[in-house]
């Protein structure tokens, strides 16, 4: 089990990167993986602060995370030999730092500039262009430095996506319990409780999650970090990724370009909560309250794409038993569920 050793959350916490590096005994050289925009917002400051302590810091700009991009980052790691990688940015940059550092056997620090999904603290990375559309195991961050002043500058839609990703753990945990009960799959109560607690916190505090409310951002940030820790404890994405994530992956395959990951998972969770015969209306109402999509048109996809995605979702990951595998729904049944829950008209 790998867990972060330092988690620093709040306003202006970026400036504490030097203190974190010192406490972790990091000296010599560091490499920052970031994007153009994230570099301006936070990457440059991280570099300047670390250089003031005498560290040598290189910056590598990445835009995509395909497997060949990861290999390019690894070539730079081999050439520069940094002691630590620092991912500064949204999901893509952090995933690039996470996976390349894991493959090269060095630690990485996560400095998120958006809150669009739980990858900021999880040990898993999402890579495009692989046979599997879902995340693969990499490593947990050694430290997380999340500055809410930096995060507040990101588009509001990324916050909504992050909320959707957290809320969707409600059905992920239901699926995990189902797999334990019916397929004798390993189930960890602690990891499941941690993921569920994150969902509850976001649902209970959904009124705080609005523009300019630092407290609301903090609730979401802590919930996303707890989800990452839950995955580290479970040793897989199980507590945080069930049938609703399979629906989102399927939607990516039937409709591209598509909505944000957490927005799709939120809608997926409404559908699969209905299938679990649980309180799907509470999930839908919370999503509506924070301004997240709850219909196909709000996701920017056609009604038939939602039905197709729901039908094919179980085939994406046959080994990950969920309510969709259990029910094995026909196209007509998928359409009925999408209509009853109001996702399609
Ligand atoms: Zn997710």
């Amino acid at each position: 089990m790998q867990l972060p050793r330092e988690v620093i959350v709040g306003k202006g916490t970026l400036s504490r990167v030097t203190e974190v590096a010192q406490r972790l005994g990091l000296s010599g050289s560091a490499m920052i993986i970031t994007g153009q925009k994230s570099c301006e917002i936070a990457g440059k400051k991280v570099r300047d602060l670390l250089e003031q302590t005498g560290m040598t810091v290189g910056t590598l700009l990445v835009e995509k995370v395909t497997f060949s991009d990861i290999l390019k980052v690894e070539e730079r790691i081999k050439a520069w030999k940094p002691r630590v990688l620092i991912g500064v940015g949204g999901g893509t940059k952090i995933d690039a730092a996470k996976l390349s550092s894991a493959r090269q056997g060095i630690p990485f620090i996560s400095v998120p500039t958006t809150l669009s999904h739980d990858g900021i603290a999880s040990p898993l990375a999402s890579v495009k262009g692989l046979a599997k559309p879902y995340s693969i195991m990499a490593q947990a961050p050694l430290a997380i430095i999340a500055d809410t002043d930096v995060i507040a500058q990101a588009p509001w839609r990324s916050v909504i996506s992050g909320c959707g990703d957290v809320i969707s753990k409600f059905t992920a945990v239901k699926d995990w319990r189902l797999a334990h009960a019916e397929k004798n799959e390993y189930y960890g109560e602690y990891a499941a409780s941690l993921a569920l607690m994150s969902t509850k916190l976001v649902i209970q505090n959904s009124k705080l999650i609005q523009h300019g409310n630092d407290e609301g951002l903090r609730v979401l940030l802590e919930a996303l970090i707890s989800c990452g820790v839950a995955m580290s404890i479970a040793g897989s994405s199980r507590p945080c990724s069930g049938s609703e994530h399979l629906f989102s992956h399927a939607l990516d395959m039937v409709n591209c370009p598509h909505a944000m990951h957490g927005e799709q998972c939120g809608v997926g969770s409404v559908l699969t909560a209905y299938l679990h015969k649980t309180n799907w209306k509470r999930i839908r109402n919370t999503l509506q309250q924070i301004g997240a999509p709850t219909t196909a048109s709000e996701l920017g996809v056609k009604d038939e794409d939602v039905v197709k995605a729901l039908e094919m979702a179980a085939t994406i990951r046959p080994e990950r038993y969920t309510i969709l595998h259990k029910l094995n729904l026909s196209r007509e049944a998928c359409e009925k569920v999408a209509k009853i829950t109001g996702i399609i008209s």
Side-chain angles (χ1 to χ4, degrees), residues 117-119 165-166 168-169 231 240-241 245 261-262 265:
H117 61 74
D118 59 24
D165 200 20
V166 174
S168 79
K169 311 315 181 204
M231 287 185 262
C240 295
S241 174
H245 272 68
H261 169 79
C265 292

Side-chain angles (χ1 to χ4, degrees), residues 33 65 164 208 237 242 254 311:
I33 308 289
V65 191
L208 293 178
S237 63
V254 297
E311 190 189 14

